[in-house]
């Protein structure tokens, strides 16, 4: 069996084992020795591949030192079940095959005696297993056409590069639970930006700390000394302090070796999420690093990706200063309809987003290889610009070496305000649809970034279930059925035409009263998205919200492309000139789409609904 198959088999086992294992005693092949109120040794004597760890989400982490032949091989943090098991996560024993493995478990305080500690649900639920043959871990809100981990927690996309027809995506990952912890770079690949393969974990925590966000490049000339075309990853080692480290791969990013000179870059204050690229003009490597608590980005240059020289900083006192600055990206793009080129500096921030929590801020401007100079508005101020006017697109960064000069990017489709509380279980978080970043001139003369769905996504289209050349948006809503197949996942396309002033409402709804209203106001030039009654919204006070986007249009006409997955809606307006990405958790899929307007003077044209294909 391939690693991937084993991995999937193990994952899919989780659903079954959750209930089956609750009442069983610790399985054969495990010796459990309670040493004290908070300390237990679990010796693995069986030869199976996976040790299933029972997790209870609402308690603190236990610290587990994994002893291999008596030495600490790794330390992991797991919310080992105390009173109930929410789900199981596998600990893969295969790297230690043939060796003596013992888990030295320190559970959090809260037990008064060893006798009480012995009653913790986890001890009965620990199971060894090898042949996990199972069905899919399909869940109500598991996305049908977005990238998501099979199980466990995901946040930022990391280290993306394109090579030999394959898009590589790494991501912040906790393999041992569906909340943030044990940060690791997990890895997925795709050839079509739709169907994702889950690859073995790429970079694991080490003595310097866990593996925070970063970037990868293909070192075409072998400047770092690891060979031509080696894949070089830079990431933040997050131990007691944050420092930057390097890992290299000579098998196209499938496995990485950490550089023995790590860390390669240290500062006296918190800095993270290195993002690097080759600058063909200056013939050296450029690096942007988030000086998180100082609300600025730092720029470095290097001949070899290992030694970095600080050149300048950008951002102090500019843009939104309400949160930490994280996950930068810097690239140049042509401005549509002009001969001009501009640089885009992405500065993700958390909190401080326009609708609360995390969001993607960016600046346009000029970059000379050492300093970034931001564009200013007519008053000479540096305007704050947002890439997405929904609540659920964060840590967006782009692929390096994307084909045909494309600037393809992807974001984490959640918000730090409630990412750990959303009503999914064995996995938390998906990524946004991949997007093509572009630049255009807005009606105010400023340059803005657009993000349109990647062209590959058109291949998702299945049956055309609705096609109307023209529909009058009257005062009474006109409704259309949405496809029932595949949990209602669909793509809706339409143009709205308003003559004069009008307010047009588009509504997605289902039979149990969940609804999302999208309202276009031609006078205010805005599109809003109201998810306050969209389904399950009460898991966080920050979830029910109305988000509002400028529409950048002047003629009362907008074109929308709306992608509806099981727990997200992405609205792309005018080829991505305005975008809203929002999570929704409808109790059942939305089954109806209606249009109306307050003035009754508007028209919807080219209305099309496609049911989307799933794997
Ligand atoms: C952004 C972030 C990064 C950090 C990572 C840790 O969401 O806070 O700055 O590297 O998450 O998981």
């Amino acid at each position: 069996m391939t690693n991937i198959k084993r991995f999937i088999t193990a994952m899919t086992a989780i659903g079954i084992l959750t209930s089956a294992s609750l009442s069983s005693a610790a399985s054969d092949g495990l010796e459990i020795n309670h040493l004290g109120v908070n300390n237990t040794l679990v010796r693995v004597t069986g030869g199976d591949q996976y040790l299933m760890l029972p997790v209870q989400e609402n308690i603190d982490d236990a610290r587990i030192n994994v002893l291999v032949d008596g030495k600490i091989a790794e330390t992991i943090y797991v919310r080992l079940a105390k009173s109930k098991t929410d789900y199981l996560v596998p600990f893969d024993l295969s790297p230690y095959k043939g060796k003596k493995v013992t888990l030295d478990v320190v559970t959090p305080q809260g037990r008064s005696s060893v006798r009480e500690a012995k009653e913790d649900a986890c001890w009965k639920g620990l199971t060894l297993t090898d042949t996990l043959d199972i069905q899919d871990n399909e869940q109500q809100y598991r996305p049908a056409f977005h990238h998501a981990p099979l199980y466990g927690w995901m946040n930022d996309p990391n280290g993306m590069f394109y090579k030999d027809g394959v898009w590589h995506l790494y991501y912040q990952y906790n393999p041992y639970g569906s909340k943030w912890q044990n940060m690791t770079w997990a890895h997925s690949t795709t050839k079509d930006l739709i169907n994702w393969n889950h690859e073995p974990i790429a970079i694991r925590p080490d003595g310097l700390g866990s593996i925070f966000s970063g970037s990868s490049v293909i070192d075409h000339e072998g400047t770092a000394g690891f060979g031509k075309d080696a894949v070089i990853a830079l990431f933040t080692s997050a131990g007691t302090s944050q420092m930057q480290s390097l890992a290299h791969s000579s098998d196209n990013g499938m496995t990485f070796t950490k550089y023995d000179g790590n860390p390669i870059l240290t500062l006296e204050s918190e800095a993270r999420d290195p993002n690097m690229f080759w600058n063909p003009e200056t013939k050296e490597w450029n690096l942007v690093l988030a000086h998180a608590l100082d609300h600025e980005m730092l720029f470095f240059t290097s001949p070899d990706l290992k030694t970095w020289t600080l050149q300048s900083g950008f951002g102090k006192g500019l843009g939104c200063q309400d949160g930490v600055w994280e996950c930068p990206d810097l690239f140049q793009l042509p401005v549509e309809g002009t001969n001009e080129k501009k640089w885009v500096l992405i500065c993700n921030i958390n909190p401080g987003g326009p609708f609360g929590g995390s969001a993607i801020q960016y600046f346009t401007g000029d970059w000379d290889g050492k300093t970034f100079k931001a564009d200013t508005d007519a008053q000479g101020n540096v305007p704050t610009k947002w890439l997405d006017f929904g609540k659920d697109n964060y840590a967006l960064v782009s692929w390096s070496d994307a084909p045909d000069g494309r600037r393809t990017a992807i974001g984490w489709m959640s918000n730090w305000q409630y990412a750990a509380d959303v009503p999914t279980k064995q996995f938390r978080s998906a990524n946004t649809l991949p997007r093509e970043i572009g630049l255009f001139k807005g009606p105010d003369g400023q340059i803005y970034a657009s993000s349109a769905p990647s062209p590959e996504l058109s291949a998702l289209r299945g049956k055309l279930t609705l096609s109307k050349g023209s529909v009058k948006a009257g005062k009474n809503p006109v409704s259309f059925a949405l496809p029932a197949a595949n949990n209602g996942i669909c793509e809706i396309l339409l143009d709205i035409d308003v003559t004069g002033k009008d307010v047009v409402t588009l509504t997605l709804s289902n039979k149990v009263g969940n609804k999302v209203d999208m309202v276009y106001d031609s006078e205010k030039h805005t599109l809003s998205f109201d998810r306050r009654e969209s389904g399950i919204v009460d898991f966080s006070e920050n979830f029910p919200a109305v988000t509002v986007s400028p529409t950048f249009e002047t003629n009362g006409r907008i074109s929308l492309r709306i992608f509806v997955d099981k727990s997200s809606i992405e609205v792309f307006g005018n080829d991505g000139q305005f975008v809203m990405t929002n999570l929704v958790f409808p109790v059942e899929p939305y089954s109806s789409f209606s249009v109306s307007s307050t003035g009754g003077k508007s028209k919807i044209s080219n209305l099309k609904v496609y049911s989307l294909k799933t794997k």
Side-chain angles (χ1 to χ4, degrees):
M1 207 165 26
T2 65
N3 271 347
I4 299 165
K5 273 201 192 130
R6 271 200 215 106
F7 179 68
I8 291 171
T9 321
M11 299 316 86
T12 45
I14 296 169
I16 284 184
L17 290 173
T18 300
S19 48
S21 59
L22 279 177
S23 55
S24 61
S27 69
D28 289 350
L30 294 174
E31 282 174 22
I32 299 183
N33 191 352
H34 297 282
L35 304 177
V37 183
N38 296 103
N39 192 198
T40 299
L41 282 185
V42 179
R43 200 149 83 86
V44 181
T45 53
D48 309 64
Q49 189 183 349
Y50 300 102
L51 173 60
M52 304 303 292
L53 306 171
V55 172
Q56 179 177 349
E57 285 224 318
N58 61 353
I59 59 169
D60 290 338
D61 285 302
R63 190 199 68 203
I64 306 177
N65 279 335
V66 181
L67 309 180
V68 177
D69 289 343
K71 292 204 184 86
I72 299 178
E74 53 183 308
T75 301
I76 62 174
Y77 296 85
V78 185
R79 294 164 190 264
L80 279 183
K82 186 168 188 293
S83 55
K84 66 171 177 113
T85 299
D86 291 324
Y87 50 82
L88 302 179
V89 292
F91 179 79
D92 186 359
L93 293 161
S94 56
Y96 308 126
K97 209 172 167 54
K99 299 190 174 151
K100 291 199 176 93
V101 178
T102 300
L103 306 191
D104 180 5
V105 182
V106 178
T107 51
Q109 301 302 318
R111 288 103 182 136
S112 55
S113 62
V114 177
R115 208 164 139 197
E116 191 194 328
K118 279 185 183 174
E119 296 305 313
D120 283 2
C122 59
W123 311 127
K124 294 195 193 102
L126 282 174
T127 324
L128 277 175
T129 183
D130 215 359
T131 49
L132 306 171
D133 253 340
I134 348 272
Q135 77 271 118
D136 202 292
N137 61 348
E138 196 59 35
Q139 298 171 63
Q140 187 184 0
Y141 296 126
R142 192 173 175 77
F145 57 93
H146 286 80
H147 171 263
L150 289 169
Y151 79 110
W153 161 276
M154 173 173 80
N155 56 291
D156 318 352
N158 295 150
M160 294 114 73
F161 69 93
Y162 175 90
K163 189 165 188 279
D164 304 334
V166 180
W167 303 82
H168 292 261
L169 164 69
Y170 303 84
Y171 54 91
Q172 289 286 279
Y173 185 53
N174 180 8
Y176 306 119
S178 308
K179 293 194 187 247
W180 186 91
Q181 190 52 279
N182 303 306
M183 281 299 110
T184 296
W185 277 27
H187 183 200
S188 295
T189 53
T190 180
K191 288 187 172 167
D192 58 11
L193 292 174
I194 294 175
N195 296 294
W196 292 93
N197 299 315
H198 296 277
E199 309 289 358
I201 279 180
I203 310 183
R204 290 178 188 273
D206 57 33
L208 289 179
S210 50
I211 312 298
F212 275 17
S213 292
S215 58
S216 307
V217 289
I218 302 170
D219 185 8
H220 293 289
E221 300 304 325
T223 60
F226 302 111
K228 281 195 175 187
D229 291 329
V231 179
I232 309 291
L234 286 196
F235 54 86
T236 302
S237 291
T240 309
S241 301
Q242 297 185 350
M243 51 213 143
Q244 317 316 317
S245 292
L246 184 150
H248 51 97
S249 168
S250 51
D251 58 2
N252 290 334
M254 298 310 287
T255 58
F256 280 88
T257 306
K258 290 187 189 121
Y259 174 51
D260 54 17
N262 283 343
I264 51 151
L265 178 56
T266 58
L267 294 177
E268 284 166 10
S269 53
E270 211 161 282
R272 56 177 177 269
D273 311 337
N275 194 298
M276 60 186 154
F277 60 96
W278 175 253
N279 188 327
E281 307 273 307
T282 57
K283 301 207 171 20
E284 59 186 354
W285 295 99
N286 291 174
L287 169 74
V288 196
L289 191 60
H291 207 196
L293 306 178
D294 292 59
H295 314 284
E296 65 169 346
M297 295 302 177
L298 299 177
F299 302 104
F300 298 79
T301 54
S302 171
D304 62 2
L305 294 162
K306 294 188 286 207
T307 45
W308 292 96
T309 307
L310 177 64
Q311 298 294 351
S312 64
F314 168 84
K316 276 213 166 143
L318 295 175
C320 179
Q321 293 279 319
D322 297 345
V324 289
W325 285 34
E326 303 183 313
C327 302
D329 200 353
L330 179 61
F331 45 81
Q332 192 184 32
L333 285 172
V335 183
E336 198 192 314
T338 73
N339 294 325
E340 219 180 337
K341 280 187 170 181
K342 277 283 173 186
W343 286 81
V344 182
L345 176 63
I346 303 267
C347 305
N348 288 280
I349 62 149
N350 175 49
F355 312 104
S358 34
I360 311 161
Q361 175 183 223
Y362 70 92
F363 300 89
T364 56
D366 299 303
W367 168 249
D368 63 6
K370 288 189 166 53
T371 48
F372 181 80
K373 197 168 165 291
D375 292 340
T376 50
D377 60 18
Q379 288 73 43
N381 300 318
V382 173
T384 304
K385 296 172 181 170
W386 303 102
L387 193 64
D388 195 307
F389 288 86
K391 277 199 79 149
D392 298 301
N393 187 354
Y394 189 56
L396 173 135
V397 284
S398 65
W399 266 271
S400 61
D401 274 38
D404 311 320
R406 288 168 63 177
R407 189 49 66 172
T408 309
I410 199 166
W412 173 46
M413 192 158 56
S414 199
N415 189 311
W416 277 115
Q417 283 182 328
Y418 44 71
D421 304 314
V422 297
T424 61
K425 198 169 161 185
Q426 287 164 352
F427 81 100
R428 278 220 179 80
S429 302
N431 280 315
T432 67
L433 287 175
R435 291 139 193 231
E436 305 298 313
I437 310 295
L439 289 175
F440 67 101
K441 234 178 209 156
D444 58 358
Q446 279 290 309
I447 291 165
Y448 293 95
S450 57
S451 44
S454 292
E456 286 83 349
L457 297 172
S458 301
L460 272 169
R461 286 180 192 164
K463 216 170 140 202
L464 179 65
T465 64
L466 180 74
S467 177
K468 297 266 171 209
S470 172
V471 180
K472 187 166 173 270
K475 293 192 176 176
N476 293 326
V478 191
S479 299
F480 304 96
L482 289 174
N486 296 336
N487 288 294
I489 61 163
C490 62
E491 181 188 347
I492 304 169
L493 296 100
L494 68 144
D495 300 331
I496 304 180
D497 273 304
V498 172
T499 322
K501 294 168 191 166
D502 203 357
V503 175
V504 178
T505 300
L506 313 172
T507 303
L508 290 164
S509 60
N510 63 18
K511 295 203 178 60
V512 293
N514 304 151
K515 63 168 184 138
V516 169
D517 284 330
M518 289 168 262
V519 179
Y520 170 53
D521 187 322
S522 68
E523 198 177 358
K524 292 189 188 143
H525 306 286
T526 56
L527 181 74
S528 65
F529 185 109
D530 182 348
R531 69 171 177 196
R532 288 174 299 177
E533 294 173 46
S534 57
I536 303 174
V537 298
D538 60 0
F539 51 88
S540 159
E541 59 177 23
N542 294 309
F543 190 78
V546 183
T547 71
V548 187
S549 173
T551 48
F552 295 105
E553 110 305 331
T554 48
N555 57 2
R557 186 187 166 93
I558 58 169
S559 276
L560 298 180
R561 254 181 104 177
I562 306 169
F563 288 87
V564 183
D565 202 340
K566 288 196 265 171
S567 53
S568 64
I569 299 179
E570 284 152 290
V571 184
F572 296 91
N574 290 348
D575 289 328
Q577 291 195 346
F578 56 95
V579 182
M580 284 190 278
T581 304
N582 282 310
L583 292 177
V584 284
F585 298 95
V587 173
E588 53 180 62
Y590 302 118
S591 49
S592 167
F593 179 67
S594 69
V595 300
S596 63
S597 75
T598 37
K601 281 185 286 187
S602 301
K603 196 178 84 180
I604 307 293
S605 37
N606 306 317
L607 172 60
K608 285 194 174 76
V609 179
Y610 289 94
S611 133
L612 300 184
K613 291 183 245 175
T614 50
K615 284 154 244 171

